[in-house]
Amino acid sequence: MTTIDVYRPVPTAGEAPPQLVLAERRSLAGARLVIINNGKPRTGELLGAIAAELTTRYSLGSVQLFSKPSASAPITAEQALALATTADVALTGLGDCAGCSACSLQDALIMERNGRPATVVISEPFQSLIASFSSKLGALGYPVTVVPHPVSSRSSDELARVAAQVAATVAGHLSDVRAGVPSAR
Amino acid sequence: MSDLLTLEDADLQDYFNNEGWTDGLPVIAPTPVRVTAMLAGAELDGDELLGSVSTHGVAMSAQHAAVAAVMAGCRPDYFPVVVAALGAALDPAFNLAVACTSTGGASILVIVSGPLADEIGMNARHNALASGNRANATIGRSVRLAATNLLRTKVDGIDGTSLGHPGKYTFCVAEREPTTWTTLRGDLGYGPEDTTVTVLGAAAPLQIANHLNGTAEGVAASLAAAMRVPSQFTTGKGGAQYVVVLGPEHEAALAGAGWSRRHVQSWLRAHSEVAARELADAGIGLEVGSHHSMEPDERGMLVTVESDEDVIVLTAGGAGAGWSAVVPNWAPKKHSSSVTRRVRLRGEGLPPCGPDGCVIDWDAMERHS
């Protein structure tokens, strides 16, 4: 048998990126939530409905909307810094395609790095993709919120039901409450 | 910088394929001798940088590109074209990460305009968009392999392409020098002695047949009809970019009637507008409150192409019946836009990072690495 030396065609695996330290979770009562909407169809409606559920169940202080001009790029460092001064927690999405899921995941991680608990809402088919990308970005096992696919063709009533179903999960990801059990601030 | 590994020669294909480093086709072994020869084809050092994808925290070295070019089967004299194409694809405006992972399944269409295409033996005539020419085939394949391996899309399972199309193996076309018109590179502001490379994140091409109407209006109308297909993702969203590959007969019909390339671009842009009713008839809903603007004007019309420059017209193909092709971008240009770079010839070196060279945002790299 003959051996040959060849170059590995992918970037040399360096040290694993340091695991992201998640922002400290507190109570949602009185918290200021920012929705980072990537503009995918029906995203504003779904994330708005989730925020409404959180307000009702956990007494959010306020809800702010930030609309990205494109789903294909994460928020900038400057935008994240500005959002972190006006919000305590962040809800990003919608990840119902591959490129946009990755960018909305990055939105959430950028907010975490700015000290703001976050979660990204994705639809079912993109769970493994986001799990891989989370690991790649040093956020192995990052908690995401999964909703049924598709989102864009559902009725408003259906989206409201989805929001009600995942609100406790979102609260669990964003705060120190156990899923479904509100805590005092 | 890529690192070396030692393999049994007979195991190479299975090993590379199983690692997720190939497109499924066999590859040429990227040995140090071959990679060094490839770099010499553009007189580059392996550690020179072509650009980066800051959201993934990775930069592409010339050696990475050379390894991909060897694997794809390139000859070293093709490598300057590959380098220019990768420089364009790494421009942030192209958004390589999304172009290589989107469910929409974009290919990286490489358009070469200039004398180097002929010098290295590229084909711009029969089968201009198809198989049969080593330079066309391997330049396009090199760009694809270099991009996907840089991002580790297959290795890490992050390419979410639902269907894709065959252009994801390779998609490269050379401009056939027009008979009467200016060249593509000339219209982009480059000189006749220059060779340029334009990249577009492309959906599958639509082949256009018009054999019975030799008028300029007739040919143009058949092209425009393919640029407002209701079920094409970009239709009516205002951000479409189209590569219009004119067969020689269709170019002759347009040029013979006195139409300039600029006029063709403008006419096709105007006639790519689509009635909202046509989308509804095709079962396509209008996005409301989304990142795409789909609000009909007072005539009930939606813009598909925003500006004349978004219609990239070139001539290619063999003489014969009236065929052309229209290649849409896979998503509106706010997500990924075409980018052009001039090919640096051997000995010319890479330009410093800047508007016409590599773009590396080191701060963003740091944030995402």
Side-chain angles (χ1 to χ4, degrees):
Chain A
M1 297 289 278
T2 307
T3 62
I4 54 171
D5 290 336
V6 292
Y7 283 111
R8 186 186 303 273
V10 295
T12 305
E15 291 181 16
Q19 180 69 13
L20 173 70
V21 178
L22 299 186
E24 184 182 356
R25 268 58 180 166
R26 297 181 178 177
S27 167
L28 285 179
R32 300 166 299 171
L33 178 135
V34 61
I35 295 172
I36 301 177
N37 178 353
N38 66 359
K40 292 299 299 290
R42 313 299 299 285
T43 297
E45 191 173 349
L46 175 62
L47 299 191
I50 293 172
E53 287 285 341
L54 295 177
T55 301
T56 301
R57 296 190 202 182
Y58 304 96
S59 305
L60 283 178
S62 64
V63 176
Q64 170 191 355
L65 176 64
F66 178 81
S67 297
K68 296 204 298 182
S70 163
S72 297
I75 56 174
T76 65
E78 294 73 25
Q79 289 167 338
L81 202 56
L83 292 173
T85 64
T86 59
D88 303 308
V89 292
L91 183 62
T92 79
L94 172 72
D96 68 344
C97 61
C100 66
S101 296
C103 292
S104 284
L105 169 69
Q106 293 204 50
D107 293 339
L109 299 184
I110 292 168
M111 292 304 290
E112 296 276 1
R113 290 193 171 92
N114 280 274
R116 297 294 179 265
T119 186
V120 55
V121 180
I122 64 169
S123 62
E124 285 164 345
F126 300 99
Q127 294 176 79
S128 62
L129 184 148
I130 287 301
S132 295
F133 200 48
S134 299
S135 172
K136 193 179 173 96
L137 295 175
L140 178 67
Y142 186 70
V144 302
T145 301
V146 181
V147 297
H149 189 85
V151 168
S152 56
S153 57
R154 290 185 189 275
S155 69
S156 295
D157 286 346
E158 288 174 318
L159 290 185
R161 279 197 291 276
V162 169
Q165 287 163 4
V166 301
T169 301
V170 172
H173 292 335
L174 292 179
S175 71
D176 59 0
V177 301
R178 283 172 290 129
V181 183
S183 68
R185 189 174 178 83
Chain B
M1 186 72 73
S2 309
D3 56 345
L4 281 172
L5 65 156
T6 303
L7 296 174
E8 296 285 350
D9 194 4
D11 293 341
L12 180 101
Q13 299 303 334
D14 283 344
Y15 189 93
F16 271 49
N17 187 57
N18 293 341
E19 289 291 321
W21 296 343
T22 79
D23 52 12
L25 295 171
V27 295
I28 305 297
T31 61
V33 168
R34 289 176 178 143
V35 171
T36 299
M38 190 63 68
L39 287 166
E43 291 192 352
L44 291 176
D45 293 330
D47 57 1
E48 292 187 69
L49 294 179
L50 309 186
S52 70
V53 181
S54 59
T55 51
H56 284 236
V58 289
M60 186 185 291
S61 67
Q63 177 163 305
H64 176 91
V67 168
V70 169
M71 289 169 62
C74 264
R75 286 190 341 212
D77 56 334
Y78 306 164
F79 193 50
V81 178
V82 173
V83 169
L86 286 169
L90 288 161
D91 188 302
F94 186 77
N95 202 352
L96 186 68
V98 170
C100 287
T101 58
S102 169
T103 52
S107 61
I108 304 173
L109 170 59
V110 178
I111 305 161
V112 183
S113 169
L116 192 60
D118 200 39
E119 289 171 25
I120 63 175
M122 294 189 75
N123 172 44
R125 295 178 179 257
H126 292 93
N127 277 298
L129 291 179
S131 57
N133 178 275
R134 181 176 174 183
N136 295 42
T138 61
I139 289 170
R141 189 184 185 205
S142 298
V143 172
R144 183 90 213 157
L145 285 173
T148 53
N149 278 337
L150 180 75
L151 298 169
R152 298 167 54 96
T153 58
K154 195 171 172 187
V155 176
D156 293 339
I158 58 170
D159 179 357
T161 294
S162 294
L163 294 171
H165 64 90
K168 287 189 72 172
Y169 284 104
T170 179
F171 201 4
C172 178
V173 59
E175 180 183 39
R176 176 174 170 166
E177 293 288 310
T179 50
T180 57
W181 280 347
T182 54
T183 59
L184 173 60
R185 65 190 179 283
D187 284 359
L188 294 171
Y190 294 91
E193 73 284 6
D194 290 330
T195 296
T196 59
V197 177
T198 301
V199 295
L200 179 83
L206 291 81
Q207 187 145 300
I208 310 302
N210 189 338
H211 306 165
L212 304 179
N213 186 334
T215 69
E217 288 79 6
V219 168
S222 55
L223 296 166
M227 295 168 59
R228 54 173 192 267
V229 175
S231 46
Q232 194 74 40
F233 183 61
T234 52
T235 298
K237 293 190 172 76
Q241 292 187 304
Y242 279 96
V243 173
V244 177
V245 184
L246 293 173
E249 276 196 16
H250 288 167
E251 184 219 313
L254 295 163
W259 288 33
S260 66
R261 185 202 300 269
R262 297 284 190 206
H263 182 62
V264 173
Q265 290 176 291
S266 178
W267 198 97
L268 292 177
R269 191 264 312 148
H271 289 79
S272 67
E273 286 189 341
V274 64
R277 178 184 44 75
E278 286 185 62
L279 270 64
D281 290 347
I284 305 297
L286 302 186
E287 292 188 21
V288 177
S290 84
H291 55 165
H292 298 135
S293 171
M294 295 190 78
E295 190 166 337
D297 64 15
E298 66 279 1
R299 300 168 299 149
M301 302 297 286
L302 294 158
V303 171
T304 296
V305 175
E306 185 180 49
S307 68
D308 296 350
E309 291 69 29
D310 291 326
V311 184
I312 300 165
V313 178
L314 69 149
T315 305
W323 297 103
S324 289
V326 165
V327 188
N329 54 348
W330 103 100
K333 64 181 180 179
K334 65 172 14 177
H335 305 289
S336 172
S337 178
S338 67
V339 177
T340 297
R341 288 279 189 274
R342 183 174 66 83
V343 178
R344 262 66 186 182
L345 302 178
R346 289 182 78 244
E348 196 177 351
L350 290 173
C353 286
D356 193 33
C358 71
V359 180
I360 298 181
D361 180 344
W362 291 109
D363 290 339
M365 291 275 288
E366 182 69 24
R367 284 196 299 274
H368 294 289
S369 62

